Amino acid sequence: MITSLKRIIKNGWLNFRRQGGLTFATVSIMVMTISLATFLFFFQGIVQHLVLGLQEKVDVSVYFKKDSFEEEILIAKEEIGKIPEVKDVEYVSQEEALNRFTEKHQDDLLLMEALNEVGENPLSPSLNIKAWQANQYEALSNFLQTASFNNLIEKVDYHQNKAIIGKIFEVSSNIRLIGIIFSLILGVIAIVVAFNTIRLAIYNSKNEIATMRLVGASNWFIRGPFLIQGVIVGIVATIVTILLFALANFFLNSRLETILPGFSLFNFFLANFWTLLLLQLVTGIGLSMISSAIAIRKYLKV
Amino acid sequence: MIRFQNIAKIYSSDITALEDISFKIDKKEFVSIVGKSGAGKTTLLKMILAQEKPSRGKVFFDNQDVHKIPHSELPHYRRRIGSIFQDYKLFPNKTAYENVAYILEVTGSSDLQIEKEVPQALEIVGLGYRHSNFPRELSGGERQRVAIARALIHRPDVLLADEPTGNLDPYHTREIIQLLSRINEMGTTVILATHNKEVVNNLGKRVITIENGRVIRDEKTGRFVL
């Protein structure tokens, strides 16, 4: 058993090494397929980043009356935080609101002057609430209307922003959907190309396979080396692809950062390195082995 | 040991390769099957290997219907047979040594046994010095001799030789036929398909003559008559 396994591995390796042109062709196609899978992985990462970025911008602000005590607002914050639909609640005190306002509008001299004219802090303390999903804001708004601290609330800006919130979530879910459809189409193309390349490679060996059968080799003894060859092709193609992507990442990183602020391709690559490697190995080895196993079947009927 | 029973092979309504063939071959026999090209010699050998199915009739090997052997059992059956194919059927990506060693690998021989026996087999066919060459680097005759070494290496019960001297010069032809005779004397049944008159006549063994898909002559110590 172990001797057979050793011989199968040896024969697989020899086939890989000796079928120069054919090996090069299958490895190249596999590099392209794995690159596509890797590209789709990055693409999903970028889509995720865009969608999260959009959704991060969505929240509902609850403005409290200026005479509310901070403790009361913090109790309200705690109560809101317990609602399962709520992802995050942030307390912005009157001073904090003023700081943010001045920071944001420091170049607007007219506004700054007007603020000085007023003399006191005109802004209200608030709670910024983020929900997990767009359709949860409605329920959240209803909750606030009946909440025990409702008498402290000055206004909730949900109704003004309702349409925009809905739109943002619609756009982001569309982006996701397009991403998934795009990935599926490209994935199917890659699989078909890889499968047919390997099928042609095995077609090239069909006479040999028939001879192996005629001299008494068992199906596993014949199939084994082809599967091993597939594993080697997958591993080599993965190594080549990961090197190519590391290089591309390194050079494209700064350019992409200007297009996609806050998204570092290289950091994404490093952070997901092991997942990516696993994805590439599974794509490369899996595709090669499954294609080989399917393609070889009909030549084993001798 | 091997019995053909009313074998017919019809490819289409106007191509009948074999018609009502019946004969048997005993253990340790040396039988030459002769006939013109296209007479059906190769088809008969293919039927013993279960590579081809007869349209009618049965082929028995040790009383077992060859074409009823389950697909998964065929490898075990075929390991009892050594085949020298007309077109050699060498593995192009394996060296001469590896081509011969493959059979022993298939039958599960130990590495030690392979290392000992393969060079011996290559020596016997006069190719000891060619062990690391690939088939494409060998001449037609050399390829044929590698194919012979490959067919003999595992000491099969039966040796099927389809035109084994087709590409050999007279010197090597004599050598190979002597080798086949020696193997036969050691107990292996040899079935030789050939149209080499001189070889058959020098052997002085049983000759089955096929013409137009039928056995027209079967003589104990026959001669090549066509």
Side-chain angles (χ1 to χ4, degrees), chain A:
Chain A
M1 181 73 188
I2 290 172
T3 313
S4 282
L5 195 67
K6 204 181 78 192
R7 286 172 184 167
I8 284 173
I9 294 173
K10 185 195 80 186
N11 284 331
W13 167 246
L14 287 181
N15 285 352
F16 174 83
R17 238 185 47 194
R18 289 176 182 169
Q19 295 179 338
L22 203 63
T23 298
F24 179 75
T26 33
V27 169
S28 312
I29 292 289
M30 215 35 93
V31 166
M32 285 182 217
T33 310
I34 300 173
S35 296
L36 199 62
T38 313
F39 168 75
L40 292 177
F41 185 79
F42 275 91
F43 179 73
Q44 286 297 338
I46 293 170
V47 166
Q48 193 69 14
H49 172 78
L50 286 176
V51 167
L52 279 181
L54 272 179
Q55 292 184 351
E56 273 298 305
K57 291 193 166 60
V58 174
D59 61 10
V60 163
S61 297
V62 181
Y63 294 96
F64 289 84
K65 290 173 183 157
K66 281 185 210 149
D67 55 2
S68 311
F69 290 108
E70 193 173 52
E71 291 77 37
E72 289 174 315
I73 302 175
L74 288 176
I75 289 170
K77 180 185 179 227
E78 209 170 304
E79 213 171 307
I80 295 170
K82 283 180 190 157
I83 306 172
E85 283 89 352
V86 171
K87 186 180 165 195
D88 188 35
V89 194
E90 183 198 19
Y91 169 57
V92 181
S93 65
Q94 252 190 304
E95 297 71 40
E96 178 64 22
L98 185 67
N99 285 342
R100 288 187 189 180
F101 185 85
T102 36
E103 202 175 314
K104 194 174 172 188
H105 300 285
Q106 58 189 346
D107 298 330
D108 191 338
L109 292 176
L110 206 67
L111 205 62
M112 287 296 113
E113 222 168 279
L115 196 64
N116 281 335
E117 288 284 310
V118 175
E120 59 170 29
N121 186 347
L123 302 170
S124 308
S126 64
L127 286 178
N128 294 334
I129 310 168
K130 283 190 201 310
W132 294 100
Q133 280 167 13
N135 54 17
Q136 291 165 340
Y137 283 103
E138 183 83 52
L140 210 57
S141 156
N142 293 338
F143 166 80
L144 292 171
Q145 274 167 20
T146 56
S148 58
F149 50 84
N150 185 262
N151 57 332
L152 302 175
I153 294 176
E154 192 176 271
K155 69 166 184 177
V156 178
D157 71 357
Y158 171 68
H159 293 286
Q160 295 100 295
N161 297 340
K162 192 177 173 183
I164 297 176
I165 292 176
K167 194 81 198 158
I168 287 179
F169 276 89
E170 193 190 315
V171 167
S172 55
S173 73
N174 278 346
I175 293 179
R176 269 210 187 106
L177 188 70
I178 291 170
I180 290 170
I181 293 173
F182 184 63
S183 307
L184 277 179
I185 293 172
L186 286 183
V188 168
I189 293 174
I191 289 172
V192 169
V193 170
F195 174 67
N196 280 310
T197 309
I198 287 171
R199 219 165 64 137
L200 283 176
I202 290 194
Y203 174 81
N204 194 46
S205 304
K206 68 175 178 155
N207 291 334
E208 257 180 275
I209 296 170
T211 308
M212 289 169 179
R213 281 280 310 167
L214 291 178
V215 299
S218 68
N219 280 0
W220 271 109
F221 202 79
I222 300 172
R223 198 186 285 128
F226 286 95
L227 299 186
I228 295 296
Q229 206 177 342
V231 172
I232 301 172
V233 166
I235 292 173
V236 172
T238 298
I239 294 171
V240 173
T241 314
I242 209 128
L243 287 177
L244 283 178
F245 266 79
L247 275 177
N249 267 317
F250 190 71
F251 289 113
L252 289 178
N253 193 34
S254 53
R255 286 186 195 191
L256 203 74
E257 257 178 2
T258 55
I259 307 168
L260 280 170
F263 185 80
S264 165
L265 200 63
F266 199 65
N267 286 345
F268 181 77
F269 178 71
L270 289 182
N272 293 289
F273 183 80
W274 295 110
T275 318
L276 198 60
L277 190 68
L278 191 71
L279 170 85
Q280 294 181 327
L281 281 175
V282 168
T283 311
I285 296 176
L287 252 182
S288 306
M289 283 183 76
I290 294 170
S291 309
S292 302
I294 294 174
I296 206 170
R297 250 183 353 181
K298 73 171 173 189
Y299 304 122
L300 288 174
K301 287 183 182 151
V302 178

Side-chain angles (χ1 to χ4, degrees), chain B residues 50-90:
Chain B
Q51 190 185 356
E52 235 177 280
K53 269 191 177 159
S55 310
R56 273 198 308 272
K58 286 174 179 170
V59 181
F60 293 95
F61 188 105
D62 277 350
N63 294 322
Q64 183 177 26
D65 185 341
V66 166
H67 297 95
K68 290 228 167 96
I69 299 173
H71 191 259
S72 57
E73 288 300 315
L74 273 180
H76 294 283
Y77 165 68
R78 285 171 173 161
R79 285 173 207 166
R80 297 182 61 190
I81 303 169
S83 296
I84 305 166
F85 302 99
Q86 208 170 3
D87 54 354
Y88 327 131
K89 293 197 192 300
L90 295 178

